[in-house]
Amino acid sequence: LRMSRGLGDVYKRQLSYRAVLEMKILHGYSDKEIATHLGISETAVSTRASRGRTLLREIVRKEGFSI
């Protein structure tokens, strides 16, 4: 199956959010360490973490859990 361009972009964005959240929450890396590892700015790390948390909240709520 081929993803439409729009869906592919959304999926890639979600993966970037996930990578940042995993490194931050599960591995305890700092924003600076994540930025260095991923080759992005600390601002981008912060933005992706924020957007990833928002997306995660939406997913959890859609599954019927409350936060």
Side-chain angles (χ1 to χ4, degrees), residues 38-58:
L38 296 178
I40 60 177
S41 69
E42 288 183 59
T43 302
V45 170
S46 179
T47 299
R48 289 180 188 187
S50 177
R51 290 177 180 170
R53 284 189 297 269
T54 299
L55 181 60
L56 188 56
R57 271 189 222 99
E58 290 173 15

Side-chain angles (χ1 to χ4, degrees), residues 3-66:
M3 279 192 235
S4 73
R5 179 172 161 81
L7 289 177
D9 291 343
V10 170
Y11 182 71
K12 286 178 188 174
R13 253 193 327 271
Q14 288 177 350
L15 288 178
S16 72
Y17 300 158
R18 179 179 175 168
V20 168
L21 288 178
E22 282 184 3
M23 293 175 79
K24 194 173 191 68
I25 297 168
L26 298 178
H27 301 291
Y29 292 126
S30 69
D31 286 2
K32 185 174 185 173
E33 291 170 318
I34 296 168
T36 300
H37 182 74
L38 296 178
I40 60 177
S41 69
E42 288 183 59
T43 302
V45 170
S46 179
T47 299
R48 289 180 188 187
S50 177
R51 290 177 180 170
R53 284 189 297 269
T54 299
L55 181 60
L56 188 56
R57 271 189 222 99
E58 290 173 15
I59 292 168
V60 168
R61 284 192 182 121
K62 284 180 183 176
E63 292 296 322
F65 296 97
S66 61

